Each structure stands twice: as C-alpha cells, then as structure tokens.
Amino acid sequence: MKVDGGCHCGKITYEAEINPEKVSICHCTDCQTGSGSGYRTNVQTERNTFKLLTGEPRIYIKTAESGNKRAQAFCADCGTPLFSTTETNREVYGLRVGSIRQRSEIRPRSQGWYRSAQPWTQDISGLPQHPKQRPAA
C-alpha cells in the first residue's frame, strides 16, 4: 500500500510503501514516553520504498534495552515523531502511524512489549465520547 505523510507543521513530508498487515502497537516504556501516550503504533517500510519529499528530520539516537542504538527521527520545529531506524544500517524504517495521512485505513495487527502495557489502554470503549473538544469547565 502506498502511503504519504509528514509532520504537523508540514515542513517534513514523505512517501513509502507499507504492508498494512504489519502494523503493530508497541507498549514499551520508550514508546510510551516518545509518543506521550500509552503506546505507539508503527509500520515498517523498506529503505528502497521510503522517500523524504521535503525537509530533513532531526535525529535522536536512543539506546534500547537490548543495547541496540535506534535513530529516532522527528521534526525539529513541531516535534512530530516520524520514524525510527537503526543507527548505521538504515534498511528498514518504522514509520509512526500517526504521521501517515492514510492512518484511518490501516489498523494494528499485533502488540509488542505487552508486559509494559498500561492497563487503561486495553478497553476505552466505555469512556464518555465527545465529537469535538469539550468546552472548558
């Protein structure tokens, strides 16, 4: 599936080919912190199908629990997380699904690092729903 996306401010844009069957949720504590939420949703793409169209992301090198170094790419202006890859051999990119314009067309197929999952992420269907932002109290 061909996708395109970018950061919130529009400075960085990209296009890529993904396999929608490979969309996954990561519950690791790094992804919780990096997303500012209970988990992050990712999908892999190969280097030969990933193309930056505009802008250049800033890279933060994160050392994982395994000791592997991961390059975390984000927009230096608006802070949008865009992708991660290995520090040196950048053959596979983990796109941040929130930065993909077609995100409503793809859904997660698996969950990783489930041992770190926040219990409240497992069922939010019973929470009150509002079609837009609630008025300030």
Side-chain angles (χ1 to χ4, degrees):
M1 172 181 182
K2 185 156 186 135
V3 297
D4 61 280
C7 65
H8 191 263
C9 72
K11 182 177 179 181
I12 301 171
T13 59
Y14 65 82
E15 63 184 18
E17 291 280 338
I18 64 159
N19 178 346
E21 298 298 315
K22 300 289 184 177
V23 178
S24 65
I25 289 173
C26 183
H27 290 282
C28 80
T29 56
D30 287 343
C31 282
Q32 290 175 27
T33 301
S35 69
S37 187
Y39 55 84
R40 183 178 353 232
T41 310
N42 306 289
V43 64
Q44 289 187 346
T45 187
E46 305 288 326
R47 179 173 79 172
N48 62 342
T49 73
F50 177 74
K51 181 179 178 184
L52 278 172
L53 302 175
T54 61
E56 191 66 36
R58 182 152 182 193
I59 303 293
Y60 164 69
I61 303 297
K62 166 71 177 95
T63 303
E65 182 179 304
S66 65
N68 293 334
K69 295 188 183 303
R70 299 286 298 163
Q72 309 286 324
F74 62 96
C75 176
D77 287 349
C78 67
T80 302
L82 299 166
F83 61 85
S84 68
T85 188
T86 59
E87 181 182 28
T88 54
N89 185 17
R90 298 182 178 183
E91 294 297 317
V92 176
Y93 291 77
L95 298 178
R96 307 314 191 200
V97 169
S99 72
I100 297 174
R101 193 173 55 82
Q102 297 83 2
R103 61 187 166 267
S104 65
E105 299 172 34
I106 53 180
R107 61 181 289 159
R109 305 293 187 184
S110 66
Q111 300 180 69
W113 285 93
Y114 197 76
R115 72 178 189 194
S116 304
Q118 297 299 316
W120 58 265
T121 63
Q122 303 312 295
D123 184 9
I124 61 172
S125 62
L127 295 176
Q129 299 176 3
H130 308 278
K132 292 187 174 186
Q133 183 174 342
R134 292 174 30 179

